[in-house]
Amino acid sequence: MKENVDYQAYVKVIRMLHSITKMDIRLSDEDGGVIFQFVNHAVPVVVQTDHGFIAPIHEVLKKNDPDHYYHYVDPFGLEYIAAGIWKNPSFSGSILIGPMISSLPVVDLIKDIISNHNLPVGERRTLEDFYQSLPVLSNDEFNDIGELLIHLRNHHHIHYQPIASETPMPTSNHHPKKRFLDENKHAIEKRYEYQNRLMDAITKGDK
């Protein structure tokens, strides 16, 4: 008999990952249904696949060991990192981060996508705006995110308590930008005052 999965135990994991990486992240059940998500990027319709991106990712995860993560690249160059959720020993869902890209410059990538998939040229601007909004990662960064995802998935959440610094943080009622401008204005006035005194002294011969 298959055990029930406490998906809420993984919500804290994806919340922390999104807070740190600012990337889109989804928690899905075994059938690909999204249980919880943080999503800031809406994938344009013209680069959405018919079967979606979760189904092919789950197919690969099911065929591999639980300690593997999957770096998936879809036909349109959108990249994802996923790790499966397993329960003695059945596949029960996934945590998925993305989309991201690793190819630059974006303009050349868009040209290839439009050409290879016969997309309308009029979609170029929409695609450029979308792809330029995505995080760009190196191979090492993809690997680091995958390993971090596996580690966080395997460990139960610990209820923590922060230790406050004995030295309190300075507080100010002044707006930081306004204070900076005021201080900068004061420095400029002092410099002109010094220059005027110097020129006056030179004129009078009082060196």
Side-chain angles (χ1 to χ4, degrees), residues 17 21 23-28 32 34 37-58 60-61 68-84 94-103 113 127 130-131 133-139 141-147 149-150:
L17 284 170
T21 67
M23 297 178 185
D24 293 358
I25 182 165
R26 297 168 175 83
L27 172 65
S28 302
V34 176
Q37 64 181 354
F38 292 99
V39 175
N40 299 322
H41 302 90
V43 179
V45 175
V46 292
V47 291
Q48 292 179 9
T49 55
D50 294 335
H51 48 66
F53 56 87
I54 295 180
I57 289 174
H58 279 195
V60 172
L61 290 174
H68 285 59
Y69 66 86
Y70 183 29
H71 180 182
Y72 171 69
V73 184
D74 80 0
F76 300 101
L78 299 176
E79 305 182 42
Y80 301 83
I81 295 289
S94 70
I95 299 174
L96 184 147
I97 302 177
M100 306 162 278
I101 57 174
S102 59
S103 300
I113 291 172
L127 293 176
F130 169 68
Y131 278 80
S133 73
L134 298 176
V136 181
L137 274 64
S138 66
N139 287 333
E141 289 169 328
F142 274 110
N143 293 335
D144 289 342
I145 288 178
E147 291 184 26
L149 184 53
I150 292 292

Side-chain angles (χ1 to χ4, degrees), residues 8-174:
Q8 289 302 314
Y10 298 96
V11 171
K12 182 65 176 179
V13 172
I14 71 170
R15 192 185 302 276
M16 287 191 299
L17 284 170
H18 177 74
S19 175
I20 294 169
T21 67
K22 304 299 185 292
M23 297 178 185
D24 293 358
I25 182 165
R26 297 168 175 83
L27 172 65
S28 302
D29 62 22
E30 60 183 302
D31 298 320
V34 176
I35 298 170
F36 201 88
Q37 64 181 354
F38 292 99
V39 175
N40 299 322
H41 302 90
V43 179
V45 175
V46 292
V47 291
Q48 292 179 9
T49 55
D50 294 335
H51 48 66
F53 56 87
I54 295 180
I57 289 174
H58 279 195
E59 287 302 313
V60 172
L61 290 174
K62 290 176 183 177
K63 297 175 183 177
N64 287 273
D65 293 333
D67 60 349
H68 285 59
Y69 66 86
Y70 183 29
H71 180 182
Y72 171 69
V73 184
D74 80 0
F76 300 101
L78 299 176
E79 305 182 42
Y80 301 83
I81 295 289
I85 295 173
W86 301 80
K87 194 70 174 180
N88 297 332
S90 301
F91 179 82
S92 301
S94 70
I95 299 174
L96 184 147
I97 302 177
M100 306 162 278
I101 57 174
S102 59
S103 300
L104 285 177
V106 168
V107 173
D108 292 338
L109 175 62
I110 298 304
K111 287 180 180 178
D112 291 340
I113 291 172
I114 290 176
S115 175
N116 295 338
H117 297 277
N118 297 316
L119 301 181
V121 178
E123 297 289 342
R124 178 189 300 275
R125 182 62 182 179
T126 298
L127 293 176
E128 286 181 357
D129 290 344
F130 169 68
Y131 278 80
Q132 287 173 347
S133 73
L134 298 176
V136 181
L137 274 64
S138 66
N139 287 333
D140 287 343
E141 289 169 328
F142 274 110
N143 293 335
D144 289 342
I145 288 178
E147 291 184 26
L148 177 62
L149 184 53
I150 292 292
H151 282 295
L152 290 176
R153 182 211 61 186
N154 287 343
H155 291 80
H156 295 293
H157 174 61
I158 299 174
H159 295 284
Y160 65 89
Q161 288 294 333
I163 300 174
S165 172
E166 294 181 0
T167 304
M169 291 291 291
T171 58
S172 174
N173 294 325
H174 300 289

